[in-house]
């Protein structure tokens, strides 16, 4: 294998093995701009970042038809830097964040698509909200009036340590997704990362978030 084409080959390898209706989000956090460019050149357009600052830096340097996804913990005071171009925010955890997004998006005359991040494992460092908290947001009267923000699905992260738990966790997230799909018309279930995307696909993931599997180990770049 030509070492220059490792990223491209990995990408095509994964794409060949997964169903056509499952989207790949290439998670480029702590990866080089040139790595993003490699995937861009072969036609990939969806990239995910965890930090707003890093996303903005990359956005400025890269082609403008890239669809940027925010997948990390949200720093509310920095949301204003991405609302003009963000494609999808996966990691919404409360009504306050939604309110801020709605207000900024109004100024830009945009409607921002978001997902609610649900906590599906009991590891302390994993963020997300419960099914009850998510349902409360979706039924919130103030939220229902907001015109510049839309919730179109949910996201979740499985246990890092215990792979045998992952089945239950993804199955649980799928059940919530089914409920919201019939009640609110949700159409995005963001679940599965490099180590568990195959399991996530079995449970009906519509978008898998792959970082290290495509790009290799993360380096500090920015
Ligand atoms: C970093 C990250 C990923 C990608 O992780 P890999 O294990 O490198 O595939 C996916 N989703 C979220 C929320 C992340 O923070």
């Amino acid at each position: 294998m030509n070492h220059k084409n490792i990223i491209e080959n990995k990408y095509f390898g994964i794409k060949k093995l997964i169903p056509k209706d499952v989207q790949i989000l290439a998670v480029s956090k702590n990866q080089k701009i040139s790595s993003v460019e490699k995937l861009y050149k072969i036609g990939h357009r969806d990239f995910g970042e965890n930090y707003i600052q890093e996303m903005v830096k990359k956005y400025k340097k890269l082609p403008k038809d890239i669809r940027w996804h925010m997948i990390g913990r949200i720093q509310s005071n920095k949301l204003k830097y991405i609302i003009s171009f963000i494609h999808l925010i996966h990691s919404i955890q409360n009504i306050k964040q939604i309110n801020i997004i709605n207000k900024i998006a109004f100024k830009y005359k945009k409607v921002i698509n978001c997902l609610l991040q649900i906590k599906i494992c009991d590891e302390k460092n994993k963020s997300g909200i419960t099914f009850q908290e998510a349902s409360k947001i979706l039924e919130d009267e103030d939220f229902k009036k907001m015109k510049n923000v839309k919730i179109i699905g949910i996201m979740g992260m499985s246990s890092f340590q215990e792979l045998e738990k992952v089945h239950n966790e993804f199955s649980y997230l799928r059940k919530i997704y089914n409920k919201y799909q019939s009640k609110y018309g949700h159409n995005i279930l963001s679940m599965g990362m490099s180590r568990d995307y195959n399991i996530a696909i079995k449970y009906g993931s519509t978008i898998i978030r792959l970082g290290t599997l495509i790009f290799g180990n993360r380096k500090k770049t920015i």
Side-chain angles (χ1 to χ4, degrees), residues 27 29 50 71-72 117 155 157 160 192-195 209-213 216 218:
V27 176
K29 66 171 179 225
N50 283 54
I71 61 172
Q117 182 172 351
M155 183 268 253
M157 281 169 99
F160 268 116
M193 300 166 50
S194 292
R195 67 201 145 77
R209 308 179 307 269
L210 305 179
T212 46
L213 194 67
R218 284 183 270 278

Side-chain angles (χ1 to χ4, degrees), residues 172-194:
Y172 175 65
L173 197 62
R174 172 60 194 264
K175 279 188 198 134
I176 297 175
Y177 174 67
N178 285 351
K179 280 187 191 149
Y180 290 165
Q181 192 179 35
S182 54
K183 198 162 179 195
Y184 305 107
H186 284 187
N187 60 8
I188 295 187
L189 175 55
S190 167
M191 67 178 188
M193 300 166 50
S194 292

Side-chain angles (χ1 to χ4, degrees), residues 101-118:
I101 293 165
N102 186 55
K103 278 189 182 145
I104 305 170
F106 174 77
K107 290 184 194 156
Y108 286 99
K109 296 190 171 66
K110 293 194 72 151
V111 178
I112 303 298
N113 287 328
C114 298
L115 312 178
L116 296 175
Q117 182 172 351
I118 312 279

